[in-house]
Amino acid sequence: MKVDSVSLDEHCLKILSALQHDGRQTVQQISEAVGLSPTPCWKRIKDMEAAGVIRGYTALIDPELVGLHVSAVAEVNLDRHSEAMVQRFEEAVAASPQIIHCVSATGPADYILNVTVPDMKHYERFLHEVLFSLPGVTHVRSSIVLREIKSQVALPLGHLTGAKSGAVPSRR
């Protein structure tokens, strides 16, 4: 299957699935899981890295266990949408370690940010010292996360294999 000029065969999709499940696996472990010998498995991984399909590897850290007890979703509006203003805003967001995710969105907010801080005092300080001072910001609406229901970084790849996506599990 060719997706945006990158050829992904069944083995590549299995490799991606295995890496999303555990990125610390050895090439030997992955090759056994996907039914390839190590050399072609390693080559597929390197090709997908070079093509940008695999963007990197990281460790998932429990925020509570490192003292980050408050997570907030901030909806942000800008006063102007000139190229220069948007670029300055996005550069400032990228430089802020408390903002762990940011998307440009349609709807009532121009941007939706996920912010993680130690406590509410830190969030208030973040709002005043960082968010309200970002270029072009005119409005911020915050929602504090009470409980995380689902958090996953693995992408759903079923559409590439023909598997049904979006299926709702039956309740018995």
Side-chain angles (χ1 to χ4, degrees), residues 62-77:
D62 185 314
E64 291 280 326
L65 295 179
V66 294
L68 297 169
H69 302 288
V70 173
S71 181
V73 177
E75 297 178 0
V76 178
N77 290 92

Side-chain angles (χ1 to χ4, degrees), residues 85-133:
M85 178 63 66
V86 167
Q87 183 176 353
R88 285 185 21 229
F89 173 81
E90 291 179 1
E91 287 171 356
V93 165
S96 176
Q98 299 93 338
I99 301 172
I100 60 170
H101 190 242
C102 174
V103 295
S104 173
T106 63
D110 295 325
Y111 291 89
I112 301 171
L113 288 62
N114 292 92
V115 179
T116 302
V117 292
D119 54 36
M120 285 304 294
K121 256 194 192 332
H122 280 85
Y123 188 66
E124 181 182 12
R125 188 171 2 172
F126 166 80
L127 283 174
H128 291 283
E129 294 176 6
V130 177
L131 204 50
F132 294 153
S133 67

Side-chain angles (χ1 to χ4, degrees), residues 15-168:
I15 291 168
L16 290 173
S17 180
L19 285 170
Q20 286 191 121
H21 175 71
D22 180 1
R24 293 188 67 190
Q25 296 180 74
T26 65
V27 171
Q28 181 67 39
Q29 291 170 312
I30 295 168
S31 68
E32 290 171 6
V34 304
L36 278 177
S37 61
T39 301
C41 183
W42 176 83
K43 181 170 178 0
R44 280 180 168 85
I45 292 170
K46 291 299 168 194
D47 289 347
M48 289 188 289
E49 289 172 349
V53 173
I54 298 173
R55 296 191 308 195
Y57 301 88
T58 190
L60 300 177
I61 299 170
D62 185 314
E64 291 280 326
L65 295 179
V66 294
L68 297 169
H69 302 288
V70 173
S71 181
V73 177
E75 297 178 0
V76 178
N77 290 92
L78 302 182
D79 63 352
R80 295 185 316 268
H81 296 92
S82 69
E83 189 65 34
M85 178 63 66
V86 167
Q87 183 176 353
R88 285 185 21 229
F89 173 81
E90 291 179 1
E91 287 171 356
V93 165
S96 176
Q98 299 93 338
I99 301 172
I100 60 170
H101 190 242
C102 174
V103 295
S104 173
T106 63
D110 295 325
Y111 291 89
I112 301 171
L113 288 62
N114 292 92
V115 179
T116 302
V117 292
D119 54 36
M120 285 304 294
K121 256 194 192 332
H122 280 85
Y123 188 66
E124 181 182 12
R125 188 171 2 172
F126 166 80
L127 283 174
H128 291 283
E129 294 176 6
V130 177
L131 204 50
F132 294 153
S133 67
L134 290 179
V137 171
T138 60
H139 179 78
V140 176
R141 179 176 34 242
S142 295
S143 297
I144 302 301
V145 175
L146 298 175
R147 181 171 53 107
E148 186 175 86
I149 308 303
K150 180 179 181 180
S151 175
Q152 85 178 41
V153 293
L155 297 175
L157 301 176
H159 68 287
L160 297 173
T161 63
K164 290 184 179 182
S165 60
V168 178

